[in-house]
Amino acid sequence: MGRVSVYDRGFLLAAVSLLSVSSAAAAQSNASPAPSSPGGGTSTSAQAETAAPTNGGGDQEVVVTGYRQSLRTAINQKRNADRVQEVLSAEDLGKLPEASIAESLARLPGLATNRDRGNGTQISIRGLGPNLVNTLLNGREIVSAEANRNIRYDDYPAELLNGAYVFKSPTASQVEGAIAGQVDLQTVRPLDQKSRRIAINVRASYNDLADDISDTKPLGYIGSISYVDQFADNTLGIALGYSGRRQANATARTNIFRSTNSFQDINGDGRGAAGNAPNVYDNIPYGYEALVRGGDDIRHGAMAAVQWRPGAGNFELNGDFFYSRVKFDETQRGVRVLNLPFGNAFSNATVVDGNVTGITASNNTNIFGLDVRNVNEQFFFKDNLYAGGLNAKYKADDWTLTGDVGYSKTHRDQQFLSLVTEYSATNPPFTYQDSYGTTSSFLATRGNPASMSFDRSLTDPSINRIANFEIPTGTGAPLINDKLLTLKGDIQRDLNGSFLKSIVIGTRYTDRTKDLTSRSQYSGIDAANRVPVDADLLNSPVTFPGAFGNLPQTMSINIPKAINRLLGTVDPTETIYDQAASWVVGEKTYAGYIQGNIDMSLGDMPLTGNVGVRVVHTKTTSSSTKLDGTNSAIPPILTPFTVTNAFTDWLPNLNLTLKVSPEVQIRFGASKAIARAPLDDLNAGSSTYSGSTGVPELRGGNPLLEPFRAKQLDLTFEWYFDRDSALTISGFYKKLDTFIATNTTTTRDANGIPTGTFTQPINGKGGEVKGVEVLFQKAFTFLPKPLDGLGVYLNYSYTDSNISVQEADNAIGPIALPGLSKHVANATLYYSKSGFEARIAYRYRSAYATELGDTDRILYTAPEGVLDFQTSYTFGDGSRFKGLQILAQASNLTNEPFETYYGDRRLQGRFEKFGRRFMLGAGINF
């Protein structure tokens, strides 16, 4: 740790050699300075547009607005950037294309988003998942309400953002912490607007699936207002904004749980699942479920900014503040079947290569057999995020001093409560749980919801009696706090007449503290005391919608009322079993950097870019509790535990742009980068219990984790053949030295007998990630009127990797790199002219490995394609409604399902639908 590697020394020597050799050509340098992209807390405003030769005759004189203008601005900033990057630009103040910033980002080359409740929430870049993506707000690192470092992009209202930069190759002055790429979300700078602006947008939303789910309302809204103004001869600017949203969360799904060895040849074909010994044993799921979820997604956000540029403009002060409050309040209902592998008689089995995908099971023991439950669950979380900062810049002659301070904090309060019913006896003298004779069947097929049937009613209150409620340890009711202070300062020296345009030297310090407090609760009713559910505790039975309509009705219970009457007060606390799942992680970083900005020529071709090195020292302190529960005769032994760790990384980088002609340029980037371990993986806590075989099983975090580390290369060809059009082809290569993944090791005595297992995240084997990205966008201005308003935006990326992750129980062998889709594509056809706009957009993502909360198995997400449509009309000059826009939007038009599978598409996990979303609204800018 802390040493300069052979790679680093070689890189630095090569960079110095390049600068030395190039200095002879410095006197011939005639390249105009390329504006720098924002980063590291010194974000610049939108870059000045550089006109490109056009092939469209008088196209330069045409004033464009809306979506076409946002594409023009984006490619112009991409073209003038000092590194490989993508740009997302708002159509106008308060107007990004989608309601979710993640879905807008997923339109860019090489980016993809997941779908949680139908919304894009997290981003993958170049096949690497959210753990390797770093997100900034106005150039500053920000906290996360998740247990790791990943932010939920739906915490950031698109209406309050002015756009985003996606940096794919780093600079020395850029904040470290990203290997996949870095996303810098931008709010408005008020002096950039040049005049007073007021924007008001109101939209009504409708979810067609929510119409069929009783616990939600299909109608919702999105509303925003923004105000930007300038004072004192345009030396002082202010910006204020507010956004509010309420939308329905409505989903329907079936889910097949992970499988285990059945230790029998269920279908009698003499062949079992791979890996089972002997090879005649089939795998069978632990159970299955069918659920509908309904509720509210409510979000409020606010933004404020002040910009002061007095006198001659050699001093500038920028302050910004951002607030977001997100609240999810959901109810989940349906049926859940457990204990399928144990104590049951089987028939009618459907088996695929030794894996059961359908079967009829009958409980014949009443002890370990089939357990059928109604599902009545509540889930909520509330996030409150505050982020702000102050940035000052002073320029005197050839010197520029910049200072930046930022602070952000967030608090999450979360709770998942499950009210459990169980089959009970109805005839004396039996007064206990009675599952004997229960029969249930399921059949899962690719591309469809699983079918299920039961021999007993799921809506009879005399059979399905309330047994308990539980808020589980760990995920049940955690409280999360995250606080982050950032300080940065640098000094820049302009070098007139040199091949180096300028040199920047700077430093950065951060202090972050994150804690998670696990809480749980359990309250039950003795079997002999369970009674039929009172009629006034019952809602109308759950009826599954649409494609799920063949599933049986289930019981719907008024959860709070039933708990208050039968089980007491809901009050989760941190029990002794929660303490090992509770933790505090502190992290301090110290960074220094030097960067030279290049401006020279090779012959008559301008060469720009930057070269530099960043060194960063990271120190972590992790505190939690070790829990030893291996001796059942005594209470668990609790031992407080604190671990410190530190490491230093040298991160050299080089970015070059060669302008072959006014329209064509080639970029090259080489760098070394890190992404620090997820904060929850750094948890020092652990729990030890006697496993099913009597061998102790230990699970915990790893406070000694080193970061992900990678060496990276980028090569990009860019052709800007008119102001609205571009063709870019990018190749990239990443060599990861290590990849953090969960691993289980077995300890053995001298005779080879297992003495225990230990499951924790480790720095595992790395590997290569490589790929290519292609972007093409074109406005068809050459077509005859009115077709000259048509245009396309297309991109495609291919990514491959030899990195694999071992699945937890080795049931399906090594898994491809989580988050990596080999193929990601976007296609948008748009029309923009005379105030009328329409566009239809399709995004595709091929299969990728993922990990869901409803199973501890890594699954694959099936390929998915989402189709969206939007149209609008804006009244122009000469109209009494000037500035008014009428808008209609439809998302997920084909109601694309979300489907997961266990390595083989025939082995279905989850099949879920989110419904279509429609919006209708109006906005005005004046």
Side-chain angles (χ1 to χ4, degrees):
M1 294 185 295
R3 295 185 301 173
V4 181
S5 68
V6 173
Y7 172 88
D8 298 330
R9 292 196 298 269
F11 184 97
L12 292 172
L13 288 172
V16 171
S17 299
L18 171 68
L19 295 178
S20 300
V21 170
S22 301
S23 62
Q28 304 177 29
S29 176
N30 59 5
S32 59
S36 298
S37 298
T42 56
S43 301
T44 61
S45 59
Q47 299 159 357
E49 186 168 307
T50 301
T54 64
N55 300 327
D59 181 62
Q60 283 186 303
E61 287 72 41
V62 176
V63 176
V64 298
T65 58
Y67 184 66
R68 180 179 167 190
Q69 175 59 41
S70 71
L71 293 179
R72 175 183 288 187
T73 301
I75 64 168
N76 179 69
Q77 294 187 13
K78 175 185 173 85
R79 177 184 190 180
N80 290 328
D82 61 350
R83 71 199 92 179
V84 179
Q85 72 176 45
E86 308 295 341
V87 180
L88 174 66
S89 177
E91 297 178 32
D92 207 336
L93 185 64
K95 289 184 186 176
L96 279 168
E98 278 83 19
S100 165
I101 183 68
E103 291 166 14
S104 295
L105 288 167
R107 306 283 184 202
L108 300 176
L111 276 70
T113 184
N114 65 340
R115 290 199 296 160
D116 178 17
R117 299 168 173 86
N119 297 319
T121 59
Q122 296 189 343
I123 290 291
S124 296
I125 301 177
R126 290 180 161 179
L128 298 172
N131 284 342
L132 299 177
V133 176
N134 190 24
T135 303
L136 313 177
L137 178 64
N138 291 325
R140 303 183 192 96
E141 193 173 2
I142 44 178
V143 293
S144 164
E146 301 294 305
N148 46 38
R149 300 178 190 269
N150 307 341
I151 75 162
R152 290 180 63 98
Y153 283 90
D154 51 355
D155 285 358
Y156 297 84
E159 303 81 32
L160 299 182
L161 297 173
N162 203 44
Y165 295 89
V166 180
F167 304 129
K168 293 180 174 178
S169 66
T171 65
S173 61
Q174 180 180 324
V175 176
E176 77 284 343
I179 289 177
Q182 187 171 82
V183 179
D184 189 359
L185 305 176
Q186 298 282 302
T187 58
V188 68
R189 288 286 177 89
L191 292 182
D192 294 344
Q193 297 295 314
K194 305 302 181 185
S195 63
R196 177 185 300 153
R197 302 289 303 278
I198 299 174
I200 302 172
N201 292 281
V202 179
R203 303 178 190 178
S205 64
Y206 170 77
N207 183 307
D208 64 350
L209 181 60
D211 250 344
D212 299 318
I213 295 178
S214 60
D215 290 305
T216 191
K217 299 176 182 177
L219 294 178
Y221 68 88
I222 299 177
S224 67
I225 181 169
S226 300
Y227 167 71
V228 179
D229 209 345
Q230 301 80 28
F231 306 92
D233 295 326
N234 287 326
T235 61
L236 177 66
I238 62 169
L240 300 170
Y242 164 79
S243 173
R245 180 182 79 180
R246 183 268 166 196
Q247 69 178 16
N249 279 338
T251 70
R253 78 172 188 259
T254 58
N255 192 44
I256 311 302
F257 300 153
R258 57 171 294 191
S259 292
T260 188
N261 194 335
S262 69
F263 294 102
Q264 57 181 301
D265 182 8
I266 292 178
N267 64 343
D269 64 354
R271 296 183 296 114
N276 289 345
N279 264 352
V280 297
Y281 292 161
D282 295 321
N283 286 334
I284 187 169
Y286 278 96
Y288 45 91
E289 65 186 4
L291 304 170
V292 294
R293 175 169 52 192
D296 287 334
D297 169 4
I298 299 173
R299 184 190 64 194
H300 297 279
M303 173 274 298
V306 60
Q307 187 175 11
W308 185 38
R309 193 186 295 150
N314 58 348
F315 176 75
E316 181 174 327
L317 184 68
N318 282 280
D320 56 83
F321 171 78
F322 192 92
Y323 168 74
S324 177
R325 175 181 173 85
V326 176
K327 179 182 179 183
F328 277 68
D329 194 349
E330 299 174 336
T331 304
Q332 187 165 259
R333 306 188 191 274
V335 60
R336 181 172 296 133
V337 177
L338 303 174
N339 296 337
L340 182 59
F342 314 111
N344 299 302
F346 299 124
S347 61
N348 303 321
T350 301
V351 181
V352 174
D353 291 338
N355 296 277
V356 172
T357 61
I359 203 165
T360 298
S362 296
N363 184 329
N364 59 8
T365 68
N366 198 35
I367 300 176
F368 300 110
L370 207 63
D371 183 2
V372 179
R373 302 178 175 185
N374 276 278
V375 174
N376 287 273
E377 296 171 334
Q378 285 185 327
F379 173 75
F380 76 80
F381 71 77
K382 294 180 288 187
D383 294 346
N384 284 285
L385 168 72
Y386 303 84
L390 195 63
N391 179 276
K393 180 186 293 185
Y394 177 72
K395 182 174 177 62
D397 297 325
D398 295 328
W399 296 88
T400 303
L401 281 72
T402 304
D404 188 273
V405 58
Y407 181 77
S408 59
K409 70 174 184 177
T410 188
H411 171 75
R412 168 175 285 193
D413 184 355
Q414 177 176 314
Q415 181 176 289
F416 173 76
L417 181 151
S418 183
L419 179 66
V420 176
T421 68
E422 295 181 347
Y423 277 152
S424 299
T426 57
N427 298 315
F430 303 105
T431 57
Y432 52 83
Q433 175 188 346
D434 181 15
S435 296
Y436 181 77
T438 302
T439 297
S440 177
S441 301
F442 89 95
L443 178 63
T445 55
R446 170 179 169 174
N448 296 286
S451 61
M452 301 174 192
S453 62
F454 304 86
D455 70 330
R456 300 187 185 183
S457 169
L458 297 174
T459 59
D460 185 342
S462 65
I463 296 176
N464 302 276
R465 300 186 180 185
I466 295 173
N468 61 67
F469 84 83
E470 57 185 357
I471 299 172
T473 294
T475 58
L479 298 175
I480 299 175
N481 296 286
D482 196 0
K483 300 177 182 179
L484 174 62
L485 171 69
T486 65
L487 300 172
K488 180 185 176 182
D490 62 40
I491 182 168
Q492 176 176 308
R493 175 72 161 92
D494 294 337
L495 304 174
N496 298 320
S498 171
F499 72 98
L500 283 182
K501 180 177 62 176
S502 61
I503 292 179
V504 184
I505 300 175
T507 184
R508 178 175 178 264
Y509 167 78
T510 72
D511 187 355
R512 184 173 193 170
T513 302
K514 188 159 196 164
D515 63 78
L516 183 149
T517 302
S518 176
R519 301 176 301 162
S520 62
Q521 187 179 3
Y522 176 89
S523 179
I525 304 173
D526 291 339
N529 296 326
R530 296 172 190 168
V531 297
V533 182
D534 295 334
D536 67 321
L537 299 179
L538 296 176
N539 306 314
S540 298
V542 174
T543 300
F544 286 86
F548 302 82
N550 291 329
L551 294 166
Q553 287 187 329
T554 65
M555 186 190 305
S556 174
I557 299 174
N558 185 319
I559 300 172
K561 193 173 180 180
I563 290 176
N564 287 337
R565 181 175 301 177
L566 301 173
L567 294 161
T569 303
V570 177
D571 184 23
T573 58
E574 185 183 23
T575 69
I576 60 173
Y577 298 99
D578 289 289
Q579 291 186 36
S582 299
W583 48 265
V584 179
V585 174
E587 180 180 80
K588 294 183 179 181
T589 70
Y590 309 83
Y593 54 89
I594 181 169
Q595 176 176 312
N597 296 313
I598 301 167
D599 184 3
M600 55 174 289
S601 288
L602 291 181
D604 60 353
M605 295 183 294
L607 178 68
T608 60
N610 52 76
V611 61
V613 63
R614 186 180 187 92
V615 58
V616 57
H617 178 74
T618 304
K619 181 179 180 180
T620 60
T621 303
S622 179
S623 300
S624 186
T625 302
K626 289 185 175 181
L627 184 151
D628 185 354
T630 55
N631 190 340
S632 59
I634 60 174
I637 300 172
L638 302 176
T639 306
F641 197 65
T642 298
V643 178
T644 60
N645 190 30
F647 46 86
T648 300
D649 288 278
W650 292 80
L651 308 174
N653 55 72
L654 171 69
N655 291 283
L656 295 174
T657 302
L658 181 66
K659 301 183 186 300
V660 179
S661 72
E663 299 87 8
V664 176
Q665 59 189 32
I666 299 173
R667 294 187 192 273
F668 172 76
S671 61
K672 187 175 181 181
I674 63 169
R676 296 184 181 90
L679 288 165
D680 52 342
D681 282 351
L682 296 175
N683 171 21
S686 61
S687 300
T688 307
Y689 294 98
S690 296
S692 57
T693 62
V695 174
E697 297 178 358
L698 188 150
R699 290 180 175 268
N702 185 352
L704 297 177
L705 282 173
E706 297 277 314
F708 302 87
R709 293 187 172 99
K711 303 175 183 70
Q712 310 179 125
L713 295 172
D714 285 272
L715 184 62
T716 300
F717 168 85
E718 300 174 0
W719 178 25
Y720 301 94
F721 45 95
D722 65 53
R723 293 176 67 184
D724 294 294
S725 307
L727 171 66
T728 66
I729 303 173
S730 303
F732 61 90
Y733 172 83
K734 299 177 187 288
K735 177 67 171 68
L736 273 70
D737 298 333
T738 181
F739 189 86
I740 298 171
T742 300
N743 182 68
T744 299
T745 58
T746 300
T747 57
R748 301 178 184 274
D749 62 19
N751 298 317
I753 306 299
T755 58
T757 63
F758 188 12
T759 301
Q760 66 171 170
I762 64 167
N763 288 104
K765 182 180 177 181
E768 299 177 344
V769 181
K770 54 191 174 182
V772 63
E773 300 164 348
V774 180
L775 163 69
F776 176 77
Q777 64 183 72
K778 173 66 178 172
F780 298 143
T781 53
F782 58 87
L783 293 176
K785 297 180 179 180
L787 299 179
D788 56 344
L790 287 169
V792 295
Y793 177 85
L794 310 169
N795 63 64
Y796 166 78
S797 64
Y798 172 82
T799 308
D800 196 13
S801 175
N802 62 0
I803 301 175
S804 62
V805 176
Q806 189 65 42
E807 203 277 330
D809 61 4
N810 200 28
I812 55 178
I815 299 295
L817 182 65
L820 188 148
S821 294
K822 281 195 173 184
H823 307 280
V824 175
N826 284 276
T828 300
L829 174 66
Y830 70 88
Y831 184 88
S832 179
K833 187 174 182 180
S834 302
F836 175 75
E837 294 207 350
R839 61 181 176 269
I840 187 164
Y842 178 79
R843 68 176 190 267
Y844 171 81
R845 183 178 188 181
S846 65
Y848 62 98
T850 185
E851 190 167 7
L852 296 172
D854 49 50
T855 175
D856 59 356
R857 285 279 295 274
I858 298 177
L859 301 92
Y860 282 87
T861 297
E864 59 184 21
V866 179
L867 184 67
D868 301 325
F869 174 77
Q870 181 173 314
T871 186
S872 65
Y873 180 76
T874 303
F875 294 88
D877 294 339
S879 170
R880 60 190 296 184
F881 303 112
K882 178 184 176 181
L884 176 66
Q885 182 188 71
I886 307 299
L887 176 142
Q889 186 171 339
S891 302
N892 193 24
L893 274 170
T894 59
N895 197 13
E896 180 77 355
F898 175 80
E899 186 173 5
T900 65
Y901 58 94
Y902 295 101
D904 185 323
R905 282 297 302 271
R906 298 171 295 176
L907 308 180
Q908 189 183 73
R910 181 190 295 195
F911 184 92
E912 185 170 21
K913 290 207 169 188
F914 307 113
R916 303 171 184 86
R917 285 189 174 146
F918 303 91
M919 285 194 288
L920 180 65
I924 188 167
N925 279 263
F926 54 88

